[in-house]
Amino acid sequence: MTTPSTSPPSSAPGAGGVFAYWKEDLPASLVVFLVALPLCLGIALASGAPLLSGIIAGVVGGIVVGLASGSQLMVSGPAAGLTAIVIAGIAQVGGFPQFLPAVVIGGAIQMLLGVARAGVIGYYFPSAVIKGMLAAIGLTLILKQLPHAVGYDEDYEGDFSFVSPSGENTFGAIGSAFNDIQLGAVLVSLVGVALMVIWPKTPLKKIKLLPAPLAAVVVGVAINEVLRLVSPDLAIRGTHLVSLPSEGLDSLVSQVARPDWSALGNQSVWVLAVTIGIVASLESLLSLEATNKLDPWKREAPANRELFAQGLGNMTSGLLGGLPVTGVIVRSSANIDAGARTRLSGIVHGGMLLVATLALASVLNRIPLAALAGVLLVTGFKLTTPALWKNAWDHGLSQFIPFAVTIVAILFTDLLKGIGIGLVVGIVFILVEHMRRPALTKISPPGAILTRYVLPDQVTFLSKASISRELESFTPGMRVEIDGRRTTRYDQDVLEILNEFRETAKGRNIDYRLVGVPESDITPLH
């Protein structure tokens, strides 16, 4: 992995200022807004929180985090990965107002982690696991959006868990969907997918202010409006459309929750705050790594600054009555697919969420979920492209197995659990490879009377197996010298093995010498 940079290369978008690429960024922001809108509402619904809390989190994730972040393309907002924590947290502390102080404190913890430069944790996730996460999100998007594409909207938008809150799993939802197909929704989604695929191959791709995803949504709305006139039975209605709260401003303001600071006397709030701070940080760092890989210019965003920005976002969201926010790969990948160049896109999408909630609900509530499903189906395919699988396979089983395990684990659990399982498998392969690598390097020429070995710069407990195997391979009558003069760090486990072999060597008539290797201060067990 390359060392993270605090600024993009001068040739990459972003070096010329936030507004330098507005012709690309503004249309992309509209696409991200259209994708984010139902996700914000769906995640709030699934979390048992007020619908407006999801919109507030989306606005804060776009504007506040977007302004503070160093990432040019990652988009933040309410995340499906925190849904289970929010549901349990609200029940545990007695309500959503009591839950909000935990969001604020969790944000403060993230800011402290950023100041403490804890963002380096994100660079220790194996590349195979990050790529597996991308492929798994792509597959999950496809599987989760297929029901919406045929007009089955029982499951909420933004659900990434294998088992939904209703108890129906991903494959069960697909089966139910294809038993109750809505032809109008199928028409809208198929036309949307076709436009997304064909658009880049036509002269229309030169219209920067009208990217393919936006065209797909606009055409989907137009098709449904025509169906309302000529064939009302096929028209998409009710729960199959975006459902933004359409009350007046006064009514909306009255629905915004306020933090109940008296809840700070509840120990559970503090435990919940730590949980939110840690989990939101991990999810954001993983999304940042994934976004860096998807960035066409391969710009490396500073992880510590991202932690600080996410913490600032969570403090703001909690104070305003919103859900916790994290970096979200679905919105980020949609942003990249739509042609975004700089963070202006993410910032403007947050402003659009605010304006839409206040003034455009009646217009946006005409957007079929099937039109958005078409956009997300193509986005999902791009995330899990066959080339990604082939690349993992070509790098050998040590890369492909953690990659595949991560995918399967995410598909059958959820994002964070799946990444955890993939990480464990990845670490196992790293440990096995390390143990197989010889820790003693033979430097004497063939046929020499004295066989000399050199220890590496650092010798840890992971080298125990390799060193033990080499010591056991020494035959009676050998003259052996092990040179540790260039080694700067020893684990006591290794020192114990090297020093205790002296007695074994005497019994086997081996002339065994240690040069520059300190004595072990561990008392042998007899």
Side-chain angles (χ1 to χ4, degrees), residues 68-87:
S69 171
S71 175
Q72 295 293 337
L73 296 176
M74 188 166 78
V75 182
S76 299
L82 293 177
T83 300
I85 294 173
V86 176
I87 293 174

Side-chain angles (χ1 to χ4, degrees), residues 312-335:
L312 180 62
N314 271 315
M315 288 193 72
T316 307
S317 185
L319 288 170
L320 296 178
L323 289 171
V325 301
T326 72
V328 186
I329 195 60
V330 174
R331 273 161 256 191
S332 303
S333 58
N335 191 36

Side-chain angles (χ1 to χ4, degrees), residues 467-480:
I467 292 175
S468 295
R469 282 196 305 270
E470 193 68 35
L471 294 177
E472 290 301 320
S473 72
F474 297 164
T475 57
M478 284 185 67
R479 296 181 62 190
V480 179

